[in-house]
Each structure stands twice: as C-alpha cells, then as structure tokens.
Amino acid sequence: MAEAAAEIAAPARRRLPEWAVNAAIAAALLAWPLLADAAGEPWWAGLAAKAAILALAGVGLNLALGYGGMVSLGHAAFFGIGGYVAAISADAAFSGAGVLGLPGSDRMLPIWLAAMALSALVALGIGAISLRTEGVYFIMITLAFAQMIYYLAISWPAYGGEDGMPIYLRNGFPGMDTNAPLDFALVCLGALAAALLLSWRLTEARFGRALICARMNPLRLATLGMEPFPVKLAAFVISAAITGLAGALYADLNGYVSPAMLGWHTSGEIIVFVILGGTGRLFGPVAGAVLYVWLETLLGGVTVHWQMGLGLVLLGVVLFGRGGLIGLLCGARRHG
Amino acid sequence: MAEAAPVLEVSGLSKRFGALIATDAVDLDIRPGEIHALIGPNGAGKSTLVAQIAGQLAQDAGEIRLAGQEISGLSVAARARAGLGRTFQVTSVALELSALGNAMLAVQARASGLWGFWRRAAADRRLIEPAMAALARFDLDGRAQVPAAALSHGERRQLELAMAAALAPRVLLLDEPMAGLGAGGVGPLSDILEGLKAETPMLLIEHDMDAVFRLADRISVLAEGRIVFAGSAAEVQASALVREIYLGTA
C-alpha cells in the first residue's frame, strides 16, 4: 500500500507512452537474433534466446508478484520442474523407456504442455497452503517448498542427483531447426510473445481487475462479494505454469538440467528481473531480463564479480525508481 | 401500525477479547426504508460490532439474520453476495484504478461471469453502463476516468458509496461516511443518503451529531459494548443518560 501511494504521489512528469516503449523493446528483441545471425555471430543469437527465456520466467512471476502482490521466493521450483520435465521426457524418448507409463517425447510442444501442467499442479498445492499466510511468512513458506523440491532432485539418483542430467539433442519444434541458434531464439521469442499476450489479456480482464484489488485491498474485494483467495490462487497457478514453460526452454538452451535450476538463487534472480524492469508492468520482466543478460555479458567479461555491478544497479532502481526501468521511462503504473 | 419485518436483525450478539467484553448481548435491527444510526463514545465497540456483522470477526454468541436468513457462518464475500453492503471508515478504493474502474469492480461481482480471463473489462458494456449509472447517482460521472488516487477525499467517499450502492445491497453498513468531509461536504452527502434510504436501509455509524440527528429515523447508543439507549433523535437529545455518557456537558 505504501509503495502504491508513493508511486502515485510522485509528480506526474510527462513520460513516454508505455505502449511505445513496449513496442520498441519487442522490436529490439526480435531484431537482436536476426542481426546476430546475419552478422555471423550465432553466440549472440543464443544470448537473445537466453534473454527471452529469462524474460518468460519473469513474465510468469510478474503475474503473482507484480499484479497479485505475492512475493514468491519459490518460483525456482516451477522453473526447475519445467527443466526436469524437458530433460526427463527427452531422455525417455531417447531410451524408449517412458516415464510413469507415459511415452517420452523429444518434441517441444508436448514437453511444454507437460511442463506447464506439472508446474501448475505443484503450484496449486503450494499456493493452496502458502496463500493462507501473508507477507514475510508467504516468502518463507514458498522458499521452503522450493527447497524441498531442490533436495528431492539432489537425492534422486535416477535423474542425475546432484550432477543433473543432459539433453543430448535439443528437442524439436515443427518447421524449425532448433539446433540453429536463430531458429531456437525465434521459438523462445514466440513463446515469450504468447505469454505476454496472455498476461496482457488476463490483467485487463475482469480477473485482472479482481487480482489488482486483491493485492491492494483484499477486504474491499471481499466486501464486493468476491473471495480474494481463489483469485490469488488462480494467478499463482498461471504464473507458475508460465515460469515452468521458461524452465523447459532453459533446459533446451543449455542441453542440461541440474538442481541449481531449483535453487533459491534462481528464485532470487527471477525476482530481480521483475523488480529491475518494473513490477506489475507488462514488459517489466522483459526489460529486466534483457538488462540482466547484458550486464552479465558485459560486466562478466571484465570481472567475475560482475554481480556487484548488478547489485548497484538494483540498489539504484529500488532507491530512485520504484517502478523499475519501465517506471523510469513511462511513469507510475495505471490500469483503466 | 404493523411494522415491516427487519432487513437486518442482530440478536444477543456478544464478543469478548480476554477480560474485555467488546460486544455485550447487543440487539439491533434495521427496517426497510430507515436509517438507523449507531452512536457512542470512542471505544464503545462500534467498529467491533460492524466487523462482526460484516463477517470479519466471528461473534462468541448471538445471531445475525439478513432478510430472515442466518448469516453468521458466511464469509465476508458470501455476506456481501447475500446483500450486505459496506463502506469503510478509512476510504479503501483501489487507488490504481480509475473511478470508473472501481465502480466496474463493484458491478463485476453482481454481473454474470466473475471469472473473465480474456475479454477486456474496460470495453465490457455490461460493466460500464451500470457502473456509470452508479457514478452518476453520486455525482461522479464527470470524474469517471480520473484515477482514484487523484480524487479528492470527498470524492473518494462518494466513490465508496457508489461502489456499495452498485452492489444493490439489501442493507448498507456505513462506517463514518462523513469523516474528514468538512462542513461543505456533509450537506451534499446527507442529501444523497436521504435519497437512498427508501431503497436501501442503512446502519449509520457517525460522529457528526448534526448529520445523525438530521438523517436518523432511530438512534441506538452504544457504550462499553452495550446498547444503553434507543429511540428517536428527539428522545436521544432529551435523554439525560445519553447526555451524561456520550454528549458530555456540551
């Protein structure tokens, strides 16, 4: 509440329209792998894929954190579940063994469906329990659930335990050569675009209005006859499914999954994307993830302590620009 | 004269916090077409009583009936759906939404399909038209597109009422609607409430005695959790007891 009030109290300087900034970010993201490929720099096209995937994870978390006010320190669970689904499915398809009676698949579309479904299912359980708490307790309980899954992955030798497991051949997508960096980047951007479209429609629809009210004033929502709990739970589940999809793509990007994907560092990084770009802004996580990837690449080339630079940027955003990058460019957020 | 059945009926309501008896066997009813004011000194237990009626707090004993139905076991939202409208002492509209957005949120609960996941709410005429009507009724139609954060204090209070009225409740609980309005704002708001009471009876909790005496058909006086006096405005003004415990010597 205090944050919202502070944002609104900020002087209404004329800023750039948010749709224009969003369009510019989208155009730049699309141009990035195309230009890299044209210039014969496949590594940079791969970096665009990474940025798109991390942005996708952030778009997922933003639904819960930004719009719903649910500060989940457990989204690594869904990111990792998505990754393990991709790796286990590809492995099962490779060996012909199947998993739990289901055939494996080395195609992205069925893998994505499975990754999203399993993430959503786990989020339904975690959310149903965690959403009975608020504030710092919610943060801690989501962290605890994610850590449980992290240790489960470590202690499960069939899926590599601490070492993780490889994906020998990147999973396939109809009409694309996913092993080519440009094609893979375009697939990732397509998934990101779909998630952004869903996120935009959800937050502008009745559901989104109810969710915003559930964040700002749950008692008010209840007084209007709508229970806050199912609204927040639904947002949490959808949020987890999107982050799970990002995890499946991330596994394909690296050709490898490990318990690190499930670790609390990962949860923290996804939160950083959202805060850096602007919480509750459609393109906030996209801007945040792109900035993160660039900082990692540029500063990381100079020093292994590049995260210190990231820390300083984050500190600046939190101290001077509560609305993140998008807030800096477009001013305080507004919903119809 | 046959009295109409009460819309809201509270009987034997009690709530205790440790040694403190916050609500002590309170009986209270609201009949169709009336404004029933609840007054009492600070700490008398008015807010605790409202919280129990609205469903935020569970009572220890007693019954709350809305249109004859016992609602004690229902959640806040379920009571709202059953027809219990409410405004808050501290204005609590969604500041990020426009005045229209807030009113649409209120309409949304009543209109079919709470779970819209795809259609843009801002373009949904089934929400806009009733929401604009609710705003117009409280003189806010000219401010529909203004973010709630940019509305004046008085306008936010009007918006609270517009939202509560948009739910078409059977009865309204108004928790200090005049608070912070100043002399210029109390008159117009009183006019609005007077015009509303024929269709929606109200329980009015208010510190502004002029407004209470003007508006209330009946007044109940709460002190230390008990209803110590109930009567018309004239009877309350004439009561030595009320003067002593509430009005002081003024």
Side-chain angles (χ1 to χ4, degrees), chain A residues 28-61:
Chain A
L29 255 185
L30 184 60
W32 176 357
L34 291 172
L35 290 175
D37 190 67
E41 296 275 5
W43 186 84
W44 283 93
L47 194 66
K50 181 178 179 182
I53 293 166
L54 297 183
L56 183 60
V59 168
L61 179 64

PDB file of all heavy atoms in Angstrom, chain A residues 28-61:
ATOM      1  N   ALA A  28      13.286  -4.498 -30.684  1.00  0.00           N
ATOM      2  CA  ALA A  28      14.717  -4.697 -30.438  1.00  0.00           C
ATOM      3  C   ALA A  28      15.009  -6.173 -30.159  1.00  0.00           C
ATOM      4  O   ALA A  28      16.007  -6.733 -30.632  1.00  0.00           O
ATOM      5  CB  ALA A  28      15.159  -3.838 -29.257  1.00  0.00           C
ATOM      6  N   LEU A  29      14.101  -6.811 -29.392  1.00  0.00           N
ATOM      7  CA  LEU A  29      14.312  -8.227 -29.059  1.00  0.00           C
ATOM      8  C   LEU A  29      14.252  -9.099 -30.300  1.00  0.00           C
ATOM      9  O   LEU A  29      14.983 -10.082 -30.419  1.00  0.00           O
ATOM     10  CB  LEU A  29      13.227  -8.677 -28.073  1.00  0.00           C
ATOM     11  CG  LEU A  29      13.657  -8.858 -26.627  1.00  0.00           C
ATOM     12  CD1 LEU A  29      12.513  -9.417 -25.813  1.00  0.00           C
ATOM     13  CD2 LEU A  29      14.860  -9.792 -26.528  1.00  0.00           C
ATOM     14  N   LEU A  30      13.359  -8.734 -31.221  1.00  0.00           N
ATOM     15  CA  LEU A  30      13.234  -9.522 -32.448  1.00  0.00           C
ATOM     16  C   LEU A  30      14.441  -9.269 -33.360  1.00  0.00           C
ATOM     17  O   LEU A  30      14.979 -10.194 -33.992  1.00  0.00           O
ATOM     18  CB  LEU A  30      11.927  -9.152 -33.161  1.00  0.00           C
ATOM     19  CG  LEU A  30      11.601  -9.969 -34.413  1.00  0.00           C
ATOM     20  CD1 LEU A  30      11.479 -11.454 -34.070  1.00  0.00           C
ATOM     21  CD2 LEU A  30      10.309  -9.482 -35.059  1.00  0.00           C
ATOM     22  N   ALA A  31      14.880  -8.013 -33.409  1.00  0.00           N
ATOM     23  CA  ALA A  31      15.998  -7.656 -34.288  1.00  0.00           C
ATOM     24  C   ALA A  31      17.308  -8.294 -33.815  1.00  0.00           C
ATOM     25  O   ALA A  31      18.163  -8.658 -34.633  1.00  0.00           O
ATOM     26  CB  ALA A  31      16.139  -6.139 -34.356  1.00  0.00           C
ATOM     27  N   TRP A  32      17.443  -8.425 -32.507  1.00  0.00           N
ATOM     28  CA  TRP A  32      18.688  -8.916 -31.902  1.00  0.00           C
ATOM     29  C   TRP A  32      19.178 -10.231 -32.520  1.00  0.00           C
ATOM     30  O   TRP A  32      20.268 -10.265 -33.117  1.00  0.00           O
ATOM     31  CB  TRP A  32      18.471  -8.974 -30.389  1.00  0.00           C
ATOM     32  CG  TRP A  32      19.572  -9.540 -29.553  1.00  0.00           C
ATOM     33  CD1 TRP A  32      20.758 -10.075 -29.960  1.00  0.00           C
ATOM     34  CD2 TRP A  32      19.572  -9.627 -28.120  1.00  0.00           C
ATOM     35  NE1 TRP A  32      21.489 -10.498 -28.882  1.00  0.00           N
ATOM     36  CE2 TRP A  32      20.793 -10.234 -27.742  1.00  0.00           C
ATOM     37  CE3 TRP A  32      18.666  -9.263 -27.132  1.00  0.00           C
ATOM     38  CZ2 TRP A  32      21.117 -10.482 -26.409  1.00  0.00           C
ATOM     39  CZ3 TRP A  32      18.996  -9.498 -25.801  1.00  0.00           C
ATOM     40  CH2 TRP A  32      20.204 -10.106 -25.443  1.00  0.00           C
ATOM     41  N   PRO A  33      18.399 -11.339 -32.477  1.00  0.00           N
ATOM     42  CA  PRO A  33      18.916 -12.589 -33.057  1.00  0.00           C
ATOM     43  C   PRO A  33      19.023 -12.519 -34.576  1.00  0.00           C
ATOM     44  O   PRO A  33      19.929 -13.122 -35.160  1.00  0.00           O
ATOM     45  CB  PRO A  33      17.880 -13.631 -32.622  1.00  0.00           C
ATOM     46  CG  PRO A  33      16.645 -12.868 -32.323  1.00  0.00           C
ATOM     47  CD  PRO A  33      17.072 -11.529 -31.841  1.00  0.00           C
ATOM     48  N   LEU A  34      18.120 -11.767 -35.215  1.00  0.00           N
ATOM     49  CA  LEU A  34      18.173 -11.669 -36.683  1.00  0.00           C
ATOM     50  C   LEU A  34      19.473 -11.000 -37.117  1.00  0.00           C
ATOM     51  O   LEU A  34      20.169 -11.481 -38.016  1.00  0.00           O
ATOM     52  CB  LEU A  34      16.969 -10.876 -37.204  1.00  0.00           C
ATOM     53  CG  LEU A  34      15.598 -11.569 -37.062  1.00  0.00           C
ATOM     54  CD1 LEU A  34      14.463 -10.620 -37.432  1.00  0.00           C
ATOM     55  CD2 LEU A  34      15.541 -12.833 -37.915  1.00  0.00           C
ATOM     56  N   LEU A  35      19.809  -9.885 -36.446  1.00  0.00           N
ATOM     57  CA  LEU A  35      21.039  -9.174 -36.781  1.00  0.00           C
ATOM     58  C   LEU A  35      22.262 -10.023 -36.445  1.00  0.00           C
ATOM     59  O   LEU A  35      23.222 -10.094 -37.216  1.00  0.00           O
ATOM     60  CB  LEU A  35      21.103  -7.840 -36.031  1.00  0.00           C
ATOM     61  CG  LEU A  35      20.096  -6.780 -36.494  1.00  0.00           C
ATOM     62  CD1 LEU A  35      20.161  -5.535 -35.615  1.00  0.00           C
ATOM     63  CD2 LEU A  35      20.352  -6.421 -37.959  1.00  0.00           C
ATOM     64  N   ALA A  36      22.204 -10.674 -35.268  1.00  0.00           N
ATOM     65  CA  ALA A  36      23.335 -11.506 -34.859  1.00  0.00           C
ATOM     66  C   ALA A  36      23.579 -12.606 -35.886  1.00  0.00           C
ATOM     67  O   ALA A  36      24.715 -12.895 -36.271  1.00  0.00           O
ATOM     68  CB  ALA A  36      23.062 -12.115 -33.486  1.00  0.00           C
ATOM     69  N   ASP A  37      22.493 -13.200 -36.353  1.00  0.00           N
ATOM     70  CA  ASP A  37      22.622 -14.282 -37.323  1.00  0.00           C
ATOM     71  C   ASP A  37      23.155 -13.756 -38.656  1.00  0.00           C
ATOM     72  O   ASP A  37      24.036 -14.362 -39.272  1.00  0.00           O
ATOM     73  CB  ASP A  37      21.253 -14.943 -37.523  1.00  0.00           C
ATOM     74  CG  ASP A  37      21.375 -16.226 -38.325  1.00  0.00           C
ATOM     75  OD1 ASP A  37      21.982 -17.184 -37.786  1.00  0.00           O
ATOM     76  OD2 ASP A  37      20.896 -16.259 -39.469  1.00  0.00           O
ATOM     77  N   ALA A  38      22.619 -12.610 -39.068  1.00  0.00           N
ATOM     78  CA  ALA A  38      23.069 -12.021 -40.330  1.00  0.00           C
ATOM     79  C   ALA A  38      24.548 -11.652 -40.265  1.00  0.00           C
ATOM     80  O   ALA A  38      25.268 -11.727 -41.272  1.00  0.00           O
ATOM     81  CB  ALA A  38      22.230 -10.785 -40.658  1.00  0.00           C
ATOM     82  N   ALA A  39      24.990 -11.265 -39.071  1.00  0.00           N
ATOM     83  CA  ALA A  39      26.392 -10.872 -38.902  1.00  0.00           C
ATOM     84  C   ALA A  39      27.292 -12.081 -38.671  1.00  0.00           C
ATOM     85  O   ALA A  39      28.497 -11.927 -38.433  1.00  0.00           O
ATOM     86  CB  ALA A  39      26.514  -9.893 -37.738  1.00  0.00           C
ATOM     87  N   GLY A  40      26.702 -13.275 -38.700  1.00  0.00           N
ATOM     88  CA  GLY A  40      27.502 -14.477 -38.496  1.00  0.00           C
ATOM     89  C   GLY A  40      27.989 -14.622 -37.062  1.00  0.00           C
ATOM     90  O   GLY A  40      29.094 -15.092 -36.815  1.00  0.00           O
ATOM     91  N   GLU A  41      27.158 -14.178 -36.108  1.00  0.00           N
ATOM     92  CA  GLU A  41      27.514 -14.282 -34.685  1.00  0.00           C
ATOM     93  C   GLU A  41      26.483 -15.146 -33.967  1.00  0.00           C
ATOM     94  O   GLU A  41      25.642 -14.635 -33.217  1.00  0.00           O
ATOM     95  CB  GLU A  41      27.536 -12.883 -34.036  1.00  0.00           C
ATOM     96  CG  GLU A  41      28.592 -11.955 -34.588  1.00  0.00           C
ATOM     97  CD  GLU A  41      29.943 -12.145 -33.905  1.00  0.00           C
ATOM     98  OE1 GLU A  41      30.052 -13.074 -33.065  1.00  0.00           O
ATOM     99  OE2 GLU A  41      30.866 -11.365 -34.200  1.00  0.00           O
ATOM    100  N   PRO A  42      26.507 -16.472 -34.168  1.00  0.00           N
ATOM    101  CA  PRO A  42      25.467 -17.318 -33.574  1.00  0.00           C
ATOM    102  C   PRO A  42      25.442 -17.252 -32.047  1.00  0.00           C
ATOM    103  O   PRO A  42      24.399 -17.420 -31.437  1.00  0.00           O
ATOM    104  CB  PRO A  42      25.835 -18.723 -34.068  1.00  0.00           C
ATOM    105  CG  PRO A  42      27.264 -18.647 -34.482  1.00  0.00           C
ATOM    106  CD  PRO A  42      27.488 -17.247 -34.948  1.00  0.00           C
ATOM    107  N   TRP A  43      26.609 -16.977 -31.449  1.00  0.00           N
ATOM    108  CA  TRP A  43      26.634 -16.919 -29.981  1.00  0.00           C
ATOM    109  C   TRP A  43      25.709 -15.811 -29.471  1.00  0.00           C
ATOM    110  O   TRP A  43      24.994 -15.977 -28.490  1.00  0.00           O
ATOM    111  CB  TRP A  43      28.070 -16.665 -29.492  1.00  0.00           C
ATOM    112  CG  TRP A  43      28.158 -16.734 -27.997  1.00  0.00           C
ATOM    113  CD1 TRP A  43      28.311 -17.843 -27.238  1.00  0.00           C
ATOM    114  CD2 TRP A  43      28.059 -15.631 -27.082  1.00  0.00           C
ATOM    115  NE1 TRP A  43      28.321 -17.525 -25.907  1.00  0.00           N
ATOM    116  CE2 TRP A  43      28.175 -16.173 -25.783  1.00  0.00           C
ATOM    117  CE3 TRP A  43      27.891 -14.249 -27.235  1.00  0.00           C
ATOM    118  CZ2 TRP A  43      28.135 -15.369 -24.637  1.00  0.00           C
ATOM    119  CZ3 TRP A  43      27.838 -13.455 -26.098  1.00  0.00           C
ATOM    120  CH2 TRP A  43      27.959 -14.016 -24.821  1.00  0.00           C
ATOM    121  N   TRP A  44      25.685 -14.688 -30.188  1.00  0.00           N
ATOM    122  CA  TRP A  44      24.823 -13.576 -29.780  1.00  0.00           C
ATOM    123  C   TRP A  44      23.359 -13.903 -30.007  1.00  0.00           C
ATOM    124  O   TRP A  44      22.494 -13.433 -29.263  1.00  0.00           O
ATOM    125  CB  TRP A  44      25.208 -12.292 -30.507  1.00  0.00           C
ATOM    126  CG  TRP A  44      26.446 -11.684 -29.901  1.00  0.00           C
ATOM    127  CD1 TRP A  44      27.736 -11.882 -30.307  1.00  0.00           C
ATOM    128  CD2 TRP A  44      26.504 -10.812 -28.774  1.00  0.00           C
ATOM    129  NE1 TRP A  44      28.596 -11.186 -29.487  1.00  0.00           N
ATOM    130  CE2 TRP A  44      27.878 -10.516 -28.546  1.00  0.00           C
ATOM    131  CE3 TRP A  44      25.540 -10.260 -27.935  1.00  0.00           C
ATOM    132  CZ2 TRP A  44      28.299  -9.691 -27.501  1.00  0.00           C
ATOM    133  CZ3 TRP A  44      25.962  -9.425 -26.906  1.00  0.00           C
ATOM    134  CH2 TRP A  44      27.320  -9.156 -26.685  1.00  0.00           C
ATOM    135  N   ALA A  45      23.085 -14.716 -31.031  1.00  0.00           N
ATOM    136  CA  ALA A  45      21.702 -15.155 -31.228  1.00  0.00           C
ATOM    137  C   ALA A  45      21.274 -16.053 -30.067  1.00  0.00           C
ATOM    138  O   ALA A  45      20.149 -15.971 -29.567  1.00  0.00           O
ATOM    139  CB  ALA A  45      21.562 -15.895 -32.549  1.00  0.00           C
ATOM    140  N   GLY A  46      22.196 -16.877 -29.612  1.00  0.00           N
ATOM    141  CA  GLY A  46      21.917 -17.733 -28.461  1.00  0.00           C
ATOM    142  C   GLY A  46      21.667 -16.905 -27.207  1.00  0.00           C
ATOM    143  O   GLY A  46      20.823 -17.236 -26.375  1.00  0.00           O
ATOM    144  N   LEU A  47      22.394 -15.788 -27.101  1.00  0.00           N
ATOM    145  CA  LEU A  47      22.209 -14.910 -25.944  1.00  0.00           C
ATOM    146  C   LEU A  47      20.805 -14.291 -25.963  1.00  0.00           C
ATOM    147  O   LEU A  47      20.179 -14.111 -24.910  1.00  0.00           O
ATOM    148  CB  LEU A  47      23.279 -13.813 -25.950  1.00  0.00           C
ATOM    149  CG  LEU A  47      23.411 -13.046 -24.631  1.00  0.00           C
ATOM    150  CD1 LEU A  47      23.924 -13.957 -23.527  1.00  0.00           C
ATOM    151  CD2 LEU A  47      24.344 -11.852 -24.810  1.00  0.00           C
ATOM    152  N   ALA A  48      20.326 -13.991 -27.178  1.00  0.00           N
ATOM    153  CA  ALA A  48      18.960 -13.463 -27.301  1.00  0.00           C
ATOM    154  C   ALA A  48      17.959 -14.495 -26.808  1.00  0.00           C
ATOM    155  O   ALA A  48      16.978 -14.162 -26.134  1.00  0.00           O
ATOM    156  CB  ALA A  48      18.667 -13.083 -28.747  1.00  0.00           C
ATOM    157  N   ALA A  49      18.226 -15.782 -27.139  1.00  0.00           N
ATOM    158  CA  ALA A  49      17.334 -16.846 -26.660  1.00  0.00           C
ATOM    159  C   ALA A  49      17.335 -16.883 -25.142  1.00  0.00           C
ATOM    160  O   ALA A  49      16.283 -16.993 -24.498  1.00  0.00           O
ATOM    161  CB  ALA A  49      17.786 -18.191 -27.231  1.00  0.00           C
ATOM    162  N   LYS A  50      18.522 -16.736 -24.555  1.00  0.00           N
ATOM    163  CA  LYS A  50      18.609 -16.756 -23.092  1.00  0.00           C
ATOM    164  C   LYS A  50      17.812 -15.601 -22.488  1.00  0.00           C
ATOM    165  O   LYS A  50      17.053 -15.796 -21.537  1.00  0.00           O
ATOM    166  CB  LYS A  50      20.075 -16.661 -22.663  1.00  0.00           C
ATOM    167  CG  LYS A  50      20.233 -16.714 -21.148  1.00  0.00           C
ATOM    168  CD  LYS A  50      21.679 -16.671 -20.723  1.00  0.00           C
ATOM    169  CE  LYS A  50      21.776 -16.709 -19.200  1.00  0.00           C
ATOM    170  NZ  LYS A  50      23.148 -16.616 -18.717  1.00  0.00           N
ATOM    171  N   ALA A  51      17.979 -14.407 -23.076  1.00  0.00           N
ATOM    172  CA  ALA A  51      17.245 -13.250 -22.564  1.00  0.00           C
ATOM    173  C   ALA A  51      15.737 -13.480 -22.652  1.00  0.00           C
ATOM    174  O   ALA A  51      14.985 -13.178 -21.721  1.00  0.00           O
ATOM    175  CB  ALA A  51      17.631 -11.993 -23.340  1.00  0.00           C
ATOM    176  N   ALA A  52      15.292 -14.054 -23.790  1.00  0.00           N
ATOM    177  CA  ALA A  52      13.855 -14.296 -23.974  1.00  0.00           C
ATOM    178  C   ALA A  52      13.342 -15.299 -22.941  1.00  0.00           C
ATOM    179  O   ALA A  52      12.247 -15.137 -22.383  1.00  0.00           O
ATOM    180  CB  ALA A  52      13.585 -14.804 -25.387  1.00  0.00           C
ATOM    181  N   ILE A  53      14.145 -16.323 -22.658  1.00  0.00           N
ATOM    182  CA  ILE A  53      13.709 -17.354 -21.708  1.00  0.00           C
ATOM    183  C   ILE A  53      13.624 -16.782 -20.291  1.00  0.00           C
ATOM    184  O   ILE A  53      12.647 -17.007 -19.565  1.00  0.00           O
ATOM    185  CB  ILE A  53      14.683 -18.551 -21.735  1.00  0.00           C
ATOM    186  CG1 ILE A  53      14.586 -19.269 -23.081  1.00  0.00           C
ATOM    187  CG2 ILE A  53      14.380 -19.512 -20.594  1.00  0.00           C
ATOM    188  CD1 ILE A  53      15.714 -20.249 -23.338  1.00  0.00           C
ATOM    189  N   LEU A  54      14.645 -16.020 -19.902  1.00  0.00           N
ATOM    190  CA  LEU A  54      14.613 -15.433 -18.565  1.00  0.00           C
ATOM    191  C   LEU A  54      13.457 -14.437 -18.452  1.00  0.00           C
ATOM    192  O   LEU A  54      12.798 -14.344 -17.415  1.00  0.00           O
ATOM    193  CB  LEU A  54      15.952 -14.760 -18.251  1.00  0.00           C
ATOM    194  CG  LEU A  54      17.159 -15.711 -18.217  1.00  0.00           C
ATOM    195  CD1 LEU A  54      18.423 -14.960 -17.815  1.00  0.00           C
ATOM    196  CD2 LEU A  54      16.919 -16.875 -17.266  1.00  0.00           C
ATOM    197  N   ALA A  55      13.218 -13.687 -19.539  1.00  0.00           N
ATOM    198  CA  ALA A  55      12.083 -12.763 -19.555  1.00  0.00           C
ATOM    199  C   ALA A  55      10.780 -13.526 -19.361  1.00  0.00           C
ATOM    200  O   ALA A  55       9.893 -13.104 -18.612  1.00  0.00           O
ATOM    201  CB  ALA A  55      12.050 -11.982 -20.857  1.00  0.00           C
ATOM    202  N   LEU A  56      10.684 -14.675 -20.017  1.00  0.00           N
ATOM    203  CA  LEU A  56       9.482 -15.507 -19.909  1.00  0.00           C
ATOM    204  C   LEU A  56       9.259 -15.948 -18.455  1.00  0.00           C
ATOM    205  O   LEU A  56       8.140 -15.890 -17.940  1.00  0.00           O
ATOM    206  CB  LEU A  56       9.630 -16.722 -20.829  1.00  0.00           C
ATOM    207  CG  LEU A  56       8.462 -17.692 -20.927  1.00  0.00           C
ATOM    208  CD1 LEU A  56       7.223 -16.996 -21.445  1.00  0.00           C
ATOM    209  CD2 LEU A  56       8.824 -18.870 -21.828  1.00  0.00           C
ATOM    210  N   ALA A  57      10.346 -16.360 -17.811  1.00  0.00           N
ATOM    211  CA  ALA A  57      10.224 -16.744 -16.393  1.00  0.00           C
ATOM    212  C   ALA A  57       9.724 -15.557 -15.579  1.00  0.00           C
ATOM    213  O   ALA A  57       8.888 -15.704 -14.679  1.00  0.00           O
ATOM    214  CB  ALA A  57      11.567 -17.231 -15.868  1.00  0.00           C
ATOM    215  N   GLY A  58      10.246 -14.371 -15.910  1.00  0.00           N
ATOM    216  CA  GLY A  58       9.836 -13.159 -15.191  1.00  0.00           C
ATOM    217  C   GLY A  58       8.389 -12.794 -15.477  1.00  0.00           C
ATOM    218  O   GLY A  58       7.662 -12.359 -14.574  1.00  0.00           O
ATOM    219  N   VAL A  59       7.949 -12.954 -16.718  1.00  0.00           N
ATOM    220  CA  VAL A  59       6.553 -12.658 -17.062  1.00  0.00           C
ATOM    221  C   VAL A  59       5.632 -13.532 -16.205  1.00  0.00           C
ATOM    222  O   VAL A  59       4.600 -13.082 -15.709  1.00  0.00           O
ATOM    223  CB  VAL A  59       6.297 -12.893 -18.568  1.00  0.00           C
ATOM    224  CG1 VAL A  59       4.806 -12.887 -18.882  1.00  0.00           C
ATOM    225  CG2 VAL A  59       7.016 -11.838 -19.393  1.00  0.00           C
ATOM    226  N   GLY A  60       6.043 -14.779 -16.010  1.00  0.00           N
ATOM    227  CA  GLY A  60       5.276 -15.655 -15.134  1.00  0.00           C
ATOM    228  C   GLY A  60       5.225 -15.113 -13.715  1.00  0.00           C
ATOM    229  O   GLY A  60       4.147 -14.900 -13.160  1.00  0.00           O
ATOM    230  N   LEU A  61       6.390 -14.837 -13.151  1.00  0.00           N
ATOM    231  CA  LEU A  61       6.424 -14.369 -11.754  1.00  0.00           C
ATOM    232  C   LEU A  61       5.692 -13.038 -11.599  1.00  0.00           C
ATOM    233  O   LEU A  61       5.037 -12.796 -10.587  1.00  0.00           O
ATOM    234  CB  LEU A  61       7.875 -14.217 -11.280  1.00  0.00           C
ATOM    235  CG  LEU A  61       8.007 -13.700  -9.844  1.00  0.00           C
ATOM    236  CD1 LEU A  61       7.420 -14.695  -8.854  1.00  0.00           C
ATOM    237  CD2 LEU A  61       9.453 -13.403  -9.490  1.00  0.00           C
TER     238      LEU A  61
END
